[in-house]
Amino acid sequence: MGLLGLLGLAACATTKSQPVAGGPAGAAPVSVLLLGCSHLAQLYKAGNANSDVLTPKRQAELGAVLDGLQRYRPDGILVEELPERQAALDSLYQLYRQGRLDLNTLPGGRSEVYQLGFALGKRLGLARIHCVNAPGGTSQSILHEGQNIELYQQATARWRAFAAPFDKQLLDGTHTLSQYLRTLNDPATVQQLHTLVYRTPARVTHGTLKADPMVDAAFLNPQYVGAEFISVFYNRDLKVYSNIVTTQLANHQTRQLVLMGVRHIGSLQGIFRDDPAYRIAEAASYLGHN
């Protein structure tokens, strides 16, 4: 056998003997359930009870969602809040665990951070809900010109037509919150949104992005404007990923539940699939049937 073959065998042996990050040699991979959520507080429309997660009907539906997620038995719940908000979130969560925080009167109390994260954490007796968001949020509309821009515009129109029924079915009362979350996390939904934001824009070149405080235009190459656009979103996802894995290392979590906007899910799934220290749990298994 030649030298290259021997080196290849050595590399394979080394890879197989590597310990999982954050644990001893031979430890099982960390399980991560990436749950895509709409921002429930933003769905609320005054005068439409179906949009209000605080109504008895929607609270009962949230209870069913929590029953399913509880079966996953996460020992870490991670939410889309910036780490600098951790102390404030800790304070609110302790009040909530003590029965001293009324989400009906809390500003933003309809948020999935509280309605899902806090509620499930209390059920499971977890001491903390972890903030793993990263700065960099911006609008998909900043990509607005360039060669082949019509491809991105057409894909955006297809996405809007595809997704329009989701909120409508919730707001007109024909779908429960479990059904709504199952639709958002369906692989077809995740893939179409991922293609729109992280694949199609690469075909757009020779243009500019709209001015945005989260984007440093000085480092953008107009020749690759679509790829630059993708990099803005992917850079944020990589930072979220870093926050997730460092939270795991610091707290020795073995089953993490991550609540993030649906736009992030396809990207994060790709990142975690390439991380041998992790395995992805399928959200559909824990979202019930009602």
Side-chain angles (χ1 to χ4, degrees):
M1 183 179 291
L3 178 59
L4 290 177
L6 289 172
L7 288 173
L9 287 175
C12 290
T14 301
T15 300
K16 289 180 180 179
S17 66
Q18 288 296 309
V20 170
V30 176
S31 176
V32 62
L33 196 166
L34 300 162
L35 184 66
C37 294
S38 279
H39 298 306
L40 298 179
Q42 295 177 10
L43 284 173
Y44 174 66
K45 301 183 185 304
N48 183 343
N50 292 318
S51 71
D52 190 354
V53 296
L54 298 177
T55 64
K57 174 187 175 183
R58 293 304 191 199
Q59 284 292 300
E61 293 171 3
L62 278 170
V65 173
L66 293 169
D67 288 343
L69 295 176
Q70 189 170 352
R71 289 191 293 103
Y72 176 63
R73 296 178 290 105
D75 56 4
I77 297 175
L78 300 82
V79 297
E80 194 174 344
E81 291 277 0
L82 294 172
E84 48 263 41
R85 282 264 302 150
Q86 188 65 61
L89 206 70
D90 287 346
S91 178
L92 289 173
Y93 182 56
Q94 292 313 313
L95 291 173
Y96 180 80
R97 293 183 71 192
Q98 297 162 12
R100 297 168 54 204
L101 182 68
D102 184 359
L103 297 183
N104 291 280
T105 59
L106 179 71
R110 293 178 175 85
S111 168
E112 66 279 1
V113 171
Y114 308 117
Q115 296 293 331
L116 293 176
F118 275 28
L120 185 60
K122 183 176 180 179
R123 281 191 181 201
L124 295 168
L126 300 182
R128 168 180 265 191
I129 305 300
H130 300 272
C131 300
V132 295
N133 195 16
T138 187
S139 169
Q140 290 164 219
S141 67
I142 65 170
L143 180 60
H144 70 114
E145 66 171 22
Q147 186 175 334
N148 301 320
I149 188 62
E150 69 278 1
L151 297 177
Y152 179 65
Q153 293 168 338
Q154 292 162 4
T156 299
R158 286 194 299 272
W159 165 253
R160 287 174 177 165
F162 176 78
F166 301 170
D167 288 357
K168 182 179 183 300
Q169 290 163 339
L170 187 72
L171 297 177
D172 67 16
T174 58
H175 268 193
T176 65
L177 283 167
S178 287
Q179 291 171 315
Y180 181 64
L181 288 172
R182 282 204 308 276
T183 301
L184 293 183
N185 287 275
D186 185 274
T189 304
V190 172
Q191 183 57 56
Q192 185 158 339
L193 184 54
H194 181 69
T195 298
L196 170 63
V197 180
Y198 296 85
R199 294 291 178 266
T200 303
R203 292 157 172 80
V204 182
T205 59
H206 300 91
T208 60
L209 299 178
K210 290 181 182 178
D212 188 284
M214 299 305 298
V215 179
D216 189 345
F219 291 92
L220 299 183
N221 184 338
Q223 181 178 349
Y224 299 103
V225 64
E228 298 279 15
F229 169 85
I230 294 170
S231 73
V232 171
F233 291 91
Y234 194 60
N235 181 271
R236 180 181 173 195
D237 291 335
L238 288 172
K239 292 171 183 173
V240 170
Y241 162 70
S242 177
N243 286 336
I244 293 170
V245 297
T246 54
T247 296
Q248 186 277 326
L249 288 171
N251 297 276
H252 309 289
Q253 295 161 347
T254 60
R255 299 178 68 81
Q256 294 180 301
L257 170 64
V258 181
L259 306 177
M260 292 293 294
V262 181
R263 188 174 68 187
H264 302 275
I265 298 302
S267 176
L268 288 172
Q269 285 176 344
I271 295 169
F272 277 105
R273 284 194 192 102
D274 290 336
D275 186 339
Y278 273 82
R279 62 178 176 81
I280 298 173
E282 296 298 327
S285 302
Y286 301 97
L287 288 175
H289 304 286
N290 298 316

